[in-house]
Amino acid sequence: YGKESDGMWSEIHSDSVNRMIVSYLDVNNEAYTDKKVKSISALLRIKLSTDNWKMSPDLIPYRDGVFDLKTNQLKSHSPGYCFTWQLPYPYQSQNDNWKKIDEWLDFATQNNQRNKQTLIAYMAATLRGRSDLQKFLYLQGHGGSGKGTFIRLLVDLIGKNNIHSSSLSDWNGNRFETANAYQKRLTVFPDEDSKVNNYAKFLKLT
């Protein structure tokens, strides 16, 4: 907890755990063998494991705290929130002036307010992890119409570490792609070929 960023859990290699155990034993002048170190590591894994690892959908983790969507308040970080992801910027740095983005959304949707609200709703769903909606956003248009800009806007919103970029051919043919997308906030398929024949795994993702 807190290894990569305050408020976030991250994976650690077993060698790193063993190194910490050895350091502790050295500081306390305790004799040890390789077998003893591995036994301690195994016991720690059993003792510290949990079956109730759940991230609340009503909380959004920022660098400087956790925002509660129900109370609209920023809370302090806590290990009990179980977050393995985090937005790459502090909540307190947010600016209330979204004029440029608002103007760009009008341009990209050609002042179609329904389409504009759809894009905003999709951004909100991405931020909140609303996979339960079972929706995907399909963007089409000529070059320079704003498709790539909107994707970059989503990347800035959610952070590069929380997005997986793929293609339908890789998604259907590469068995590691689903693992690469595991626990990501968003999966993006840019510039797809219209001749893809199999959408089964994509529909399962949706």
Side-chain angles (χ1 to χ4, degrees):
Y1 177 77
K3 181 177 180 289
E4 294 184 6
S5 179
D6 188 28
M8 187 173 72
W9 289 89
S10 56
E11 289 185 79
I12 185 171
H13 196 276
S14 58
D15 287 345
S16 298
V17 176
N18 292 338
R19 188 162 55 248
M20 286 189 285
I21 294 171
V22 168
S23 297
Y24 177 85
L25 295 173
D26 284 338
V27 168
N28 289 275
N29 295 317
E30 293 189 32
Y32 58 86
T33 62
D34 180 64
K35 184 177 180 180
K36 180 177 180 178
V37 172
K38 290 181 178 178
S39 295
I40 294 173
S41 178
L43 287 171
L44 285 172
R45 182 179 288 109
I46 294 171
K47 188 173 182 178
L48 299 175
S49 65
T50 177
D51 295 325
N52 187 27
W53 191 274
K54 188 176 180 180
M55 291 178 278
S56 172
D58 298 318
L59 301 176
I60 299 178
Y62 287 83
R63 293 280 173 143
D64 55 349
V66 177
F67 186 74
D68 191 326
L69 293 170
K70 288 185 175 180
T71 64
N72 287 329
Q73 292 181 340
L74 188 70
K75 300 179 177 180
S76 299
H77 285 301
S78 172
Y81 291 141
C82 301
F83 282 114
T84 56
W85 74 282
Q86 190 177 86
L87 295 174
Y89 45 83
Y91 176 81
Q92 298 294 354
S93 70
Q94 293 189 94
N95 193 326
D96 291 333
N97 185 5
W98 302 101
K99 183 179 179 181
K100 286 186 177 181
I101 293 177
D102 187 59
E103 290 175 349
W104 178 83
L105 286 170
D106 285 332
F107 157 76
T109 59
Q110 298 179 345
N111 290 312
N112 185 317
Q113 292 303 302
R114 182 177 179 179
N115 289 344
K116 178 180 177 180
Q117 290 303 315
T118 297
L119 294 180
I120 293 174
Y122 192 81
M123 295 172 73
T126 301
L127 184 64
R128 300 180 183 206
R130 294 296 306 275
S131 58
D132 60 297
L133 297 175
Q134 299 186 24
K135 300 287 185 182
F136 69 88
L137 182 68
Y138 178 60
L139 302 174
Q140 64 181 115
H142 56 77
S145 60
K147 303 186 301 296
T149 302
F150 183 73
I151 291 175
R152 288 191 291 274
L153 190 60
L154 275 174
V155 172
D156 286 342
L157 173 69
I158 204 70
K160 290 182 180 180
N161 291 336
N162 300 314
I163 288 181
H164 176 62
S165 182
S166 184
S167 67
L168 285 176
S169 57
D170 282 341
W171 190 258
N172 289 316
N174 186 343
R175 60 192 178 96
F176 297 109
E177 277 299 279
T178 51
N180 292 333
Y182 179 62
Q183 289 192 337
K184 298 297 184 181
R185 212 66 175 174
L186 179 70
T187 304
V188 178
F189 299 88
D191 297 327
E192 281 305 320
D193 190 336
S194 60
K195 296 181 180 179
V196 176
N197 296 319
N198 186 359
Y199 294 95
K201 290 184 70 175
F202 173 75
L203 292 176
K204 288 181 180 179
L205 171 67
T206 306

